[in-house]
Amino acid sequence: MPEYRRILLDGAVTRVRRDGSALVSPDGRTTGLDAIHLPPCEPTKIIAVHLNHRSRVAEFQARLPAAPTYFHKPTSALNAHGGAVVRPAGCRYLNYEGEVAIVIGRTARGITPAQAGAYIAGYTIANDFGLHDFRDTDAGSMLRVKGSDTLCPLGPGLVDDWDFRGKRIRTHVNGAVAQDGSTDEMTWDMHYLVADIARTITLNPGDVLLSGTPAHSRPVEPGDVVEVEVEGLGTLTSHVVEGPVPVPAEYGAQPTASDEVVSTALGGDWEHR
């Protein structure tokens, strides 16, 4: 399965192809996998599904609606493989969510799930970080929860001709397994999600759909290294750092009642896992 990445090569943004442990540019230049990475696509929009994996639904003792629900992450949240994910000073609840990202390859509108595969350029890995200090203040839109700067790492590459069925998804925090799930847990598969959104929203080449996360999303701390591994797509690495400018508590960035409820539901130690 071909894998393509966007990196900085000799100071220029370059699309390269992975060949083993080397990255090869169209003109034959090579560099290592430790190159400075950029997101593997340039979306006009990033759309994410809420609950989709059955283990996550069971974890929250929730009931899925008849159809998927979605939220939006602005493109300013984009980050890349090896990048720094910022937890603003004064915040406590920055959660990882390892998942698969669908990348659109052709303009899609009014298509069926059976047609959707022809409109997908390929797949990459996402970490749908959420800053849950804002869970109450942005309830509904989740704008700052999910859309704050740096909270959408994608990468390391874009893989085409990847069969999403039966693939393992694992998230590691500082080397320890934190999430362990499968794409077979998804209630709505990749093709359904693309067709569902494209019923009313035009999807453009490069647009990204995040397909949902398995159970056991938990907060991480500055200094933590979070790696999302998806079978056949590789490993996306993020480094958690503290932001230099505190977010004043009076603006809403503080532990909320919702966080305490979730903590209790998950055994009382949610904030420490």
Side-chain angles (χ1 to χ4, degrees):
M1 295 178 291
E3 177 185 344
Y4 299 93
R5 303 188 182 190
R6 291 174 67 244
I7 66 169
L8 286 179
L9 182 60
D10 296 333
V13 177
T14 306
R15 188 172 188 260
V16 295
R17 176 179 52 83
R18 181 176 178 179
D19 183 5
S21 61
L23 302 176
V24 184
S25 71
D27 62 7
R29 288 176 294 166
T30 63
T31 189
L33 299 179
D34 58 351
I36 297 174
H37 282 68
L38 303 170
C41 56
E42 298 180 90
T44 68
K45 63 185 76 71
I46 304 166
I47 298 171
V49 67
H50 282 111
L51 292 177
N52 192 11
H53 283 248
R54 287 188 291 272
S55 64
R56 186 77 163 151
V57 175
E59 180 182 32
F60 281 93
Q61 301 177 18
R63 177 181 296 178
L64 284 175
T69 60
Y70 303 92
F71 59 93
H72 179 252
K73 291 173 83 87
T75 56
S76 53
L78 279 172
N79 204 336
H81 172 60
V85 173
V86 177
R87 190 186 78 172
C91 293
R92 294 174 58 192
Y93 296 109
L94 176 67
N95 287 35
Y96 55 80
E97 292 186 9
E99 52 197 86
V100 175
I102 307 161
V103 180
I104 300 300
R106 297 168 51 199
T107 301
R109 180 72 162 83
I111 61 173
T112 67
Q115 297 168 326
Y119 292 82
I120 296 173
Y123 298 87
T124 189
I125 305 172
N127 197 329
D128 181 21
F129 278 99
L131 190 61
H132 289 272
D133 301 76
F134 289 101
R135 185 196 299 272
D136 282 355
T137 55
D138 283 348
S141 76
M142 301 221 303
L143 180 61
R144 286 171 290 187
V145 176
K146 293 293 189 142
S148 293
D149 290 354
T150 75
L151 298 193
C152 190
L154 298 176
L158 177 67
V159 179
D160 61 14
D161 198 27
W162 180 75
D163 185 350
F164 59 79
R165 298 166 184 86
K167 296 303 191 292
R168 194 173 189 182
I169 302 170
R170 290 193 294 182
T171 302
H172 298 78
V173 178
N174 301 325
V177 175
Q179 289 182 292
D180 194 346
S182 166
T183 56
D184 281 350
E185 293 181 42
M186 296 170 62
T187 302
W188 299 288
D189 71 17
M190 311 298 184
H191 292 169
Y192 184 94
L193 296 175
V194 171
D196 192 40
I197 287 294
R199 289 192 297 171
T200 60
I201 298 173
T202 298
L203 294 172
N204 298 310
D207 284 351
V208 170
L209 276 68
L210 306 185
S211 61
T213 194
H216 304 305
S217 163
R218 298 292 186 270
V220 285
E221 304 283 335
D224 287 343
V225 177
V226 185
E227 298 170 298
V228 182
E229 177 188 6
V230 178
E231 184 180 350
L233 297 182
T235 302
L236 169 67
T237 301
S238 301
H239 303 270
V240 181
V241 302
E242 184 172 60
V245 180
V247 177
E250 61 267 25
Y251 291 166
Q254 53 190 333
T256 67
S258 298
D259 294 313
E260 300 306 322
V261 169
V262 172
S263 175
T264 300
L266 297 181
D269 60 348
W270 177 71
E271 64 181 294
H272 301 299
R273 296 194 223 177

